[in-house]
Amino acid sequence: MNKIKSSEITPEHIYLSRRDFLKSMGIVSASAAILAACGIAPTESAQASVAPASDTQLTVPPSADTDELGGALNSFEDITHYNNYYEFTTDKERVADLAEGYPTSPWEVRVGGLVNQAKTYSIDDLRKFEIEERIYRLRCVEAWSMVIPWMGFPLSKLLAEVQPKAEAKYVRFETIYDPEGMPGFKKNPWYQWPYVEGLRVDEAMNDLAILSTGLYGKDLLPQSGAPVRLVVPWKYGFKSIKSIVKIDLVAEMPTSLWMAAATNEYGFYANVNPAVDHPRWSQGSERRIGEFSRRETLMFNGYEAEVAHLYTGMDLTANF
Amino acid sequence: MKSSTFNRLLSTLTHTGALIPFAWMLWDFFTHNYGPDPIREFTLRTGKTALVLLLLSLACTPINTLFKFRAALRLRRPLGLYSFMYASIHFAIFIGVDYFFNFSLIQDGLLEKRYAIVGLTTGLILLTLAVTSTKGAQRRLKKNWKKLHRLAYIAGILAVIHYIWLVKQGVTQPWYFAGVLILLLTLRVKPVKNWAGSRLKGV
């Protein structure tokens, strides 16, 4: 199998300018005219074609059927109906139902802390970043995995805008805290809500780390962490925090919700590592959703070339 | 109703009730109604059913003590055997489907894991009890039979621990089973048994 990065398959500028491309070909206006001729009001479809990627109905098919290692993409149905989102429920197969219709607009992400240019981003502000497709493996700490065609932009681009100060060593992320709107808060009161996650600044600047706003060419659904979530594919899934409302640059290592819940089981780094087991179960293999047999888990979830340098000289057993 | 008719009815109900989860699983299997992770789905369902039946089997003796419902005592064996049946399917899915007889993975990843060891021990206890559940074994083992079959309580405790050790912190479901088990164990303690029994008799 040739190693082809998904970003190499679809040239970014073509992918991103697909609507301009259609416009320039006159397809939008032509189709609007056809629709008008058929007595169908053209407004909706024509607007959808020129609007920013906000219409959930608009589907841009993924540029490839597999990840760069040949693993088939999981279906949209599986990706959106098997979710860990404890703010709704601890039952992975019920999150989709409970999250249906959860309001994610308007939405604000406050970015601040040790930065020179603190800024509050609306969803429209976030959409101004160039959206790229990233086909990533997601490896859950529970030893199952998926391949997901995310849409998003590098976290580094957002950080560049707010200009972290020199003393900023970590990035701290926070999920929305909404006990009225999400039933899981009251059912699971023993967790230290809100959900918090963190990265070292150099991890956050790595090109693999993205803020995602969509998958399969559609806007994220609430169960997937709409409207904006982190995706750090070389770490266990729980690091990829959902429905972010706050990002702070900080000097001290943030304590994540899972670190607080079980210090001996979930560390700050949570890098996918088949050689370092969870204290209660093996991380040596995983079940790929949609496949019959187990796969061996790869070091850094198969992204060793891209991220191993971040951890040179570190004891990965101690820094699990 | 004549007592023999009643016993037959109760027995039929028990067998039917214990087989419904199996029929349901077969139905879901053949209609592909099992969600994105079928192996996990059926492993969990067989495991939970085995645990429920084991707890029901353990509940028979306290039910007789408290309510003088002697018919319940006859249900201990079928409930225990059905629990063993589901535990066997649970184990078979785990080894034969999930790990697909990949013994190097099983050895490296599992045999040192405490949830797996506890689960395996539970299974071995249930196997021993199933093999010695016949009238013949009861005769041969004489007084020891009763002692041996008290291991069912140990199996119950280990099964609940097995479940607790599988889930992430804060997931509540195993604790409901733990609560029921603690209640059943408490009812077996002599002073509690006598006190509860006398209270109910007074009613």
Side-chain angles (χ1 to χ4, degrees):
Chain A
M1 196 73 210
N2 286 331
K3 284 203 174 185
I4 303 168
K5 280 197 178 177
S6 55
S7 54
E8 288 165 4
I9 295 171
T10 310
E12 218 176 277
H13 62 282
I14 292 178
Y15 188 80
L16 292 165
S17 59
R18 59 198 180 279
R19 293 195 180 87
D20 298 335
F21 177 75
L22 290 176
K23 255 195 290 187
S24 69
M25 297 290 286
I27 289 174
V28 170
S29 47
S31 59
I34 292 166
L35 288 172
C38 301
I40 299 164
T43 43
E44 204 183 314
S45 60
Q47 268 176 6
S49 301
V50 292
S54 61
D55 191 337
T56 316
Q57 306 306 313
L58 256 185
T59 302
V60 183
S63 61
D65 300 333
T66 66
D67 65 4
E68 80 284 8
L69 303 178
L73 298 187
N74 281 94
S75 68
F76 183 77
E77 173 73 13
D78 280 359
I79 294 169
T80 54
H81 288 81
Y82 199 68
N83 311 96
N84 271 323
Y85 202 154
Y86 282 19
E87 286 86 338
F88 286 106
T89 169
T90 57
D91 183 343
K92 285 185 270 297
E93 291 170 46
R94 280 188 61 223
V95 174
D97 275 351
L98 289 170
E100 196 180 347
Y102 184 78
T104 55
S105 176
W107 193 273
E108 280 185 344
V109 184
R110 286 181 291 138
V111 187
L114 302 170
V115 296
N116 290 320
Q117 294 285 327
K119 186 175 172 186
T120 297
Y121 289 84
S122 70
I123 286 310
D124 287 337
D125 294 334
L126 292 174
R127 289 208 174 98
K128 286 177 191 144
F129 289 95
E130 286 187 7
I131 302 295
E132 306 168 23
E133 180 197 57
R134 298 286 185 101
I135 297 178
Y136 283 158
R137 292 171 288 286
L138 177 112
R139 168 61 158 80
C140 179
V141 75
E142 297 164 1
W144 54 268
S145 62
M146 289 189 184
V147 180
I148 303 175
W150 297 107
M151 317 285 295
F153 58 92
L155 174 59
S156 61
K157 289 193 179 172
L158 180 126
L159 294 180
E161 284 196 357
V162 297
Q163 301 167 26
K165 291 180 176 169
E167 59 266 37
K169 295 284 179 278
Y170 297 92
V171 189
R172 181 185 180 280
F173 303 85
E174 213 176 283
T175 297
I176 188 170
Y177 178 75
D178 179 13
E180 298 307 316
M182 298 169 157
F185 286 101
K186 283 173 185 162
K187 285 189 92 174
N188 307 293
W190 35 83
Y191 294 113
Q192 286 185 26
W193 303 114
Y195 199 91
V196 168
E197 263 305 340
L199 295 173
R200 236 168 41 196
V201 166
D202 59 339
E203 294 178 315
M205 297 300 287
N206 187 283
D207 183 59
L208 287 183
I210 61 164
L211 288 174
S212 169
T213 54
L215 59 87
Y216 263 104
K218 307 177 193 202
D219 281 354
L220 288 180
L221 292 174
Q223 63 265 38
S224 304
V228 60
R229 53 103 41 96
L230 179 70
V231 181
V232 273
W234 71 96
K235 293 172 179 287
Y236 292 119
F238 67 86
K239 292 293 289 184
S240 292
I241 183 170
K242 290 173 167 172
S243 305
I244 300 168
V245 292
K246 202 159 169 271
I247 300 176
D248 281 318
L249 279 289
V250 293
E252 304 292 327
M253 179 185 283
T255 303
S256 72
L257 177 134
W258 280 111
M259 286 163 76
T263 315
N264 60 325
E265 297 191 351
Y266 308 101
F268 175 78
Y269 287 96
N271 291 318
V272 176
N273 187 342
V276 178
D277 281 348
H278 186 281
R280 291 182 286 136
W281 58 79
S282 168
Q283 296 293 23
S285 67
E286 67 202 50
R287 199 162 52 237
R288 176 68 53 81
I289 300 301
E291 286 182 1
F292 184 72
S293 58
R294 277 184 174 260
R295 296 170 163 256
E296 296 203 0
T297 292
L298 303 173
M299 187 63 199
F300 295 116
N301 203 21
Y303 302 99
E304 199 167 4
E306 290 89 345
V307 300
H309 65 91
L310 294 168
Y311 310 104
T312 37
M314 270 178 65
D315 178 351
L316 295 178
T317 308
N319 297 287
F320 53 92
Chain B
M1 201 187 304
K2 272 195 352 211
S3 78
S4 63
T5 321
F6 177 74
N7 282 339
R8 256 206 305 280
L9 187 70
L10 195 64
S11 162
T12 311
L13 270 175
T14 305
H15 286 278
T16 316
L19 284 169
I20 284 173
F22 185 61
W24 195 349
M25 278 180 244
L26 285 179
W27 174 262
D28 282 346
F29 180 75
F30 286 110
T31 57
H32 303 280
N33 180 28
Y34 38 56
D37 194 351
I39 295 176
R40 174 179 169 277
E41 171 80 13
F42 289 115
T43 309
L44 274 178
R45 280 169 71 173
T46 47
K48 269 187 217 174
T49 311
L51 180 53
V52 168
L53 291 169
L54 182 58
L55 292 180
L56 282 173
S57 169
L58 292 177
C60 292
T61 305
I63 283 172
N64 176 47
T65 319
L66 294 182
F67 306 108
K68 293 280 161 257
F69 186 65
R70 285 195 61 78
L73 298 178
R74 304 167 62 97
L75 304 178
R76 286 176 297 186
R77 175 160 48 194
L79 286 170
L81 284 171
Y82 279 117
S83 173
F84 172 67
M85 178 187 98
Y86 284 99
S88 306
I89 304 171
H90 178 74
F91 180 74
I93 295 174
F94 187 67
I95 296 293
V97 185
D98 193 356
Y99 280 82
F100 201 56
F101 302 107
N102 185 338
F103 286 104
S104 69
L105 268 188
I106 292 167
Q107 202 178 350
D108 292 349
L110 287 176
L111 290 182
E112 62 205 45
K113 295 296 162 213
R114 59 191 196 195
Y115 84 90
I117 295 166
V118 163
L120 196 61
T121 312
T122 315
L124 290 175
I125 292 177
L126 291 179
L127 172 68
T128 311
L129 300 188
V131 168
T132 59
S133 66
T134 58
K135 287 244 159 63
Q138 212 164 351
R139 256 198 320 274
R140 277 194 301 280
L141 287 164
K142 297 183 184 115
K143 276 184 182 166
N144 292 325
W145 189 88
K146 207 167 183 179
K147 277 186 202 156
L148 181 69
H149 279 249
R150 288 215 177 105
L151 283 177
Y153 284 94
I154 305 293
I157 295 168
L158 293 180
V160 170
I161 293 174
H162 171 66
Y163 193 9
I164 289 171
W165 279 350
L166 266 177
V167 297
K168 289 201 262 190
Q169 273 76 12
V171 176
T172 42
Q173 202 169 30
W175 295 96
Y176 297 124
F177 288 98
V180 171
L181 181 72
I182 289 167
L183 177 72
L184 293 176
L185 289 174
T186 313
L187 287 171
R188 294 287 286 167
V189 178
K190 268 231 170 76
V192 180
K193 190 161 73 174
N194 294 339
W195 176 79
S198 65
R199 295 282 297 195
L200 282 168
K201 262 176 248 162
V203 171

